[in-house]
Amino acid sequence: MTTSRVTTSRVTMPDLRVFGIRHHGPGSARALLAALAGFAPDCVLVEGPPDADDLIPWLDHPALVLPVSLLVYRPDEPRRATFYPFAVFSPEFQALRYALEAGAATGFMDLPRRYTLASDVAAAMPPVDPFRQLAAVAGFDGYELWWNAAVEQRRDAGGLFDAVLEMVGELRRAAGVAVGDDPAHLMAERREAAMRDRIRRAATAGHRRIASVCGAWHAPALVDALAGDGAADEALLRDLPAVEVAATWTPWTYGRLSQSSGYGAGIASPGWYDHLWTMGGVETFRRNVSTEMSAHWLTGVARLLRDAGFDVSAAHVIEGVRLAEALAALRGRPFPGLDELEEATQSVLCGGDAEPLQLIRRKLVVGERMGVVPPDVPAVPLQRDLQAQAVRLSLRPDPEPSALQLDLRQETDLERSRLLHRLSLLDIPWGVATRPKGQQMGTFGETWQLQWRPELTLRVIEGSIWGNTARDASAARTEDVAARVTELPELTQLIDRVVAADLPECIPAILAHIEERAALSRDVPHMLDALPPLAQVVRYGGLRQTAEHIPLLRRVFDHLLTRACLALPAACLSLDEAATSEMLERLSAVAAAVALMRDEEAFERWRVALGILADRRAIQPAVAGRATRLLHDAGALRVEGVGLHLARALSAQAGGAAEGARYAADWLDGFLRDSGLLLVHDRHLWAAIDGWLAGLDGERFQGVLPLLRRTFAAYPEGVRQQLQDRVSAGSRATPAARREPATFDPARAAAVLPTIVRLLGLELGRAEAER
């Protein structure tokens, strides 16, 4: 058997032990800690970038919270960068922490990034097919499940690294590791040569007990690192081109640690691995804690499902644990793994429904944890980029609030606006855009309220996971947000923000999401809400030089408008008071959006839809009134047509006189709400409404009075005064009345007294009532 322990007969030869691990494997981490405690090395070398050796002590900082990542980048080209994530269950992290606590020397071993970032060639990745074949022979459906059962959930860690070394040695021989002129495989060879070279340098420095921790695939290539003089390795590493690099720590997330994020060494279930690590520390690893682990996991699942509205009890958890343990026993496994627990969850806690499993996988199996780095850690590239742009644009961070006026016709102000909008997309609210009273859409001015708060520095560090510059990071985060947003209005508002931030590369993806959701959506209010932001971008996008996207934006607008117009009548049949008010606002907003588009075909589609709303008796009356008003405002309905609709609404008698009066009042509310000046200046409309009111009997008048009062009370004070003047002028319409001063008429005053008393909740005495 090949062993990871390398010794010779010379007592002066350092003792080298190679530990082949799986990146981010909790079982590997537990076994590694136990092995290191038994070996007691005086030097621990871990696979990673030697360029970042100086940053290793930060792992012992009390303010550091995992997961975090090493970031090595080229200062001259921040996009050229490499991340090295660490989680609490990562063997690399545990090995480095062991060395720091034990006082052993520590460092990274690999080909330094100053060489790899000088080249466009990436090292060849280890082949996955041999591992998949091995898993299939062992009776597992995939490599991840087999590795979890064989290593990460292993009860007895004894002999693990010897077994892994022997296994991988055979797999390397069977795969026939390629060398030679292929650039990717040559880079991989140089990486392993650099690891061996680092081990030899540690021995030369006087270290006698050297622990080398690396990915399992590299372990067989390192066991003989001290056997020769290293001449072949030196030849491989000679005269490599190099560039300047910098390194720092940055927060990371479990989502970014997963394979689905594109991370090459990612794992499928970071949250599950965190659970395995938390429940099975080194001391408890050998105990039979399967029931406790399963119960703890399913309790978290039950809590999540209850928060999501599912009916899950403690009895479900108990039965779920029993089923998971039974499945593990049937499959010959020491205790339930993630697949058994997922099957038990679906069967018992979800009643056979697979849909909730997506929520569980996102929230628990992968997890949403995000790390924190100390505030005094070396600056990340995004922070450097922000600082450089702030200096160039004369934007000084100030803890005191201040107003910033921007003229978008000036190039410097336009760039300031773009930067602030990009930071807003990154959730870094250095500035908050405000619109002064009276400022109209489409102006060349912007007003920002600036204030730099200390916590924004952390926001910048957190935002660095999306990119190394403000532009790249905001674009990446915007695309991620667009992929997760489910509501059309949010997507169209995102278009507006992207245009303001000058990120045209994001627009096609967002529009594709809009079209996809619009094709599946039956939510008419959401489709209506999505139209105004699109129209504003089409109309005013030229201010920010986005004209090349206007045709695509128009196409999406037309698609949404067509679907909304077709579904609008059915959506306005049965609305309560709150829904009616919201619909009136939406109709007015869409009417303004259609006007902004200046498209005859769009206007005609909208006119036809409004005509249907205005003509159909089944439509909610306030909506019918608003549709009539909008047709009149747009010039699509003349005064005579308005009069016909008004006469029909005011003479409605369906359901009896009282119901007819209520219909008429609601219609007037929709027609007149927010438009008192129309009533002031349109004599024909005034005469029609005045005649209708005068013709109501006492009971019907009292029924509609609260509804009419609601409409008129919303008018500004100036408009109400003009209406009162109009009423006063109408009472003196005859020439004789205009020549003679107004006189008090007790009989007319007494006629309205009972109604006023009723409104005030008072009671009249018999004498007053008779009088």
Side-chain angles (χ1 to χ4, degrees), residues 31-42:
L32 178 61
L33 283 180
L36 291 175
F39 179 43
D42 61 357

Side-chain angles (χ1 to χ4, degrees), residues 48 57 152 161 260 335 362 367 373 448 461 464 477 480 605 624 643 663 677 693 705 711 724 737:
E152 307 308 336
F161 294 107
S260 61
F335 57 87
R362 185 176 74 253
V373 298
W448 290 82
I461 295 174
S464 65
R477 186 174 187 273
D480 179 75
R605 281 196 295 274
Y663 181 95
L677 289 176
L693 281 172
L705 185 59
T711 301
Q724 182 178 341

Side-chain angles (χ1 to χ4, degrees), residues 381-395 419:
L382 177 59
Q383 192 171 8
R384 296 181 186 277
D385 176 70
L386 178 56
Q387 291 170 348
Q389 291 199 57
V391 171
R392 181 173 60 85
L393 299 174
S394 300
L395 289 173
L419 175 61

Side-chain angles (χ1 to χ4, degrees), residues 712-731:
F712 285 88
Y715 292 159
E717 183 178 355
V719 173
R720 293 202 305 270
Q721 183 62 50
Q722 292 185 63
L723 291 173
Q724 182 178 341
D725 294 342
R726 181 77 181 271
V727 171
S728 300
S731 67

Side-chain angles (χ1 to χ4, degrees), residues 505-525:
E505 64 270 26
C506 297
I507 293 178
I510 299 175
L511 291 178
H513 289 304
I514 291 175
E515 290 192 299
E516 176 185 352
R517 285 158 177 74
L520 301 175
S521 176
R522 296 181 179 179
D523 195 325
V524 176

Side-chain angles (χ1 to χ4, degrees), residues 421 424-427 492-502:
H421 280 292
S424 177
L425 287 168
L426 281 169
D427 196 23
T492 52
Q493 290 167 9
L494 195 59
I495 285 276
D496 195 22
R497 298 177 66 191
V498 161
V499 169
D502 190 28

